[in-house]
Amino acid sequence: MAGGLRNIIGALALAVCAIVGAAGAQEFRALARLDLARSGIVDAGAAVEITLGISQPIPFRVFLLDGPPRLVVDFSELDFGAAPAATLGASRAFTALEWGLASPGWTRLIAHLAAPMAVTEAWESTGAAPQIQVRLEPVSAEEFVASAGAPVATRWQLPKAAVVAAPRRRQTGEAPLVVALDPGHGGIDPGAEAEGLAEAPLVLGFARELKEVLTRAGMRAVLTRDEDTFVPLEARMSAARAAGADVFLSLHADALAEGEAAGATVYLLAAEASDSASARLAERHDRGDLLAGVDLAGHDDEVAQVLMQMARAETQPRADGLAVALQAAILGSGLKMHKKPVQAAAFSVLKSPDIPSLLLELGFMSSTADRKRLADPAWRATMAEAISAALQAWAVVDAAEARYLRQ
Ligand SMILES: [Zn+2]
């Protein structure tokens, strides 16, 4: 039984991946160039490593094909330049190299293999000198045939899923409330930027301040990222789950072109966005994962999605309740909220089936008034106290309901 349950949780984790949408995929355009001076091929014992220096991080995927055996690396519009692929270098493992346009928007590197190999690493680093690295090691012909045909890089790009034995049991007020604070963006994805302010460091700073306030109020707060690094959406949810979070709160301060978006806004998960601005916000956040080369398309599992919907049926009303509590506390503290304070959109980061999850836009970078507020320590302190009060008020009601349901 326990094994079966674990399989279901595994399936749920896959379904979460499946929904991290392809919506933004079509629009993403990078104009990255290959830097031959930082690129090359190195034989390391029986293994071989390909390093590609690139001018900027781009989506990519790696897979093996049979007949003849070859390694394929697809890039979202990487410009190889005029030199032939052989300029990259040579290896005992490769009989020939090719590169060129694969399909509109995608370019491809092909390495023909002298013997069967497996991809053991495929990674993109995103610092000042971004590069993509692929490592291959010899395998048996049977192993090669078993792994050839499907894109494999996404497996390495994904973080290890947290080990979860059972769905999170609802909090009943007997232990401190565990709050996962999720500062949006980070690393190669700075989020919204306006007049020298960037969303990623701003929401990280606020998350640290909020953590202190929640800790003083007797809660246990954990951050899904505590540095300026890129954290994929799925890893954020895994971190919350591993910490045993009772609540997941994603913190943002985005920009909207409309010019009318101002004031804090609470976002709930919904299949349908409440308006086109909300839909664009949700799409933009999913695109962050593409930036890091995490292509989650193709992980579809209908059964798992049905299971997830069942879990959500209990979780969603609890998230709704928290949204109402947040609205009351924020407005009650005299802070400005958006003219529609609670909205809905298909934010992938909110798709944990068993943890009530909300996304809070503290304000909008596109609004001059909001930027002033976001930069004001007194405003941030008042906002942090309001969130703390909302969580405490909600937790009491939520725990009472859990105890009632249990009887
Ligand atoms: Zn954001």
Side-chain angles (χ1 to χ4, degrees), residues 81-103:
T87 319
L88 199 56
S91 162
R92 288 188 304 272
F94 302 149
T95 55
L97 289 173
E98 298 171 61
W99 61 30
L101 188 68
S103 59

Side-chain angles (χ1 to χ4, degrees), residues 98-183:
E98 298 171 61
W99 61 30
L101 188 68
S103 59
W106 287 90
T107 48
R108 172 171 284 188
L109 169 69
I110 301 171
H112 292 266
L113 304 178
M117 301 195 96
V119 178
T120 53
E121 273 171 55
W123 200 257
E124 180 164 26
S125 63
T126 57
Q131 60 182 29
I132 289 171
Q133 280 181 305
V134 180
R135 182 183 168 90
L136 296 150
E137 289 180 25
V139 290
S140 69
E142 293 73 31
E143 283 173 291
F144 177 81
V145 169
S147 67
V152 291
T154 54
R155 310 262 168 80
W156 278 275
Q157 295 289 341
L158 287 174
K160 285 197 181 76
V163 178
V164 182
R168 178 85 184 133
R169 203 167 186 187
R170 280 184 71 156
Q171 62 97 17
T172 53
E174 285 138 29
L177 190 76
V178 182
V179 184
L181 297 175
D182 173 49

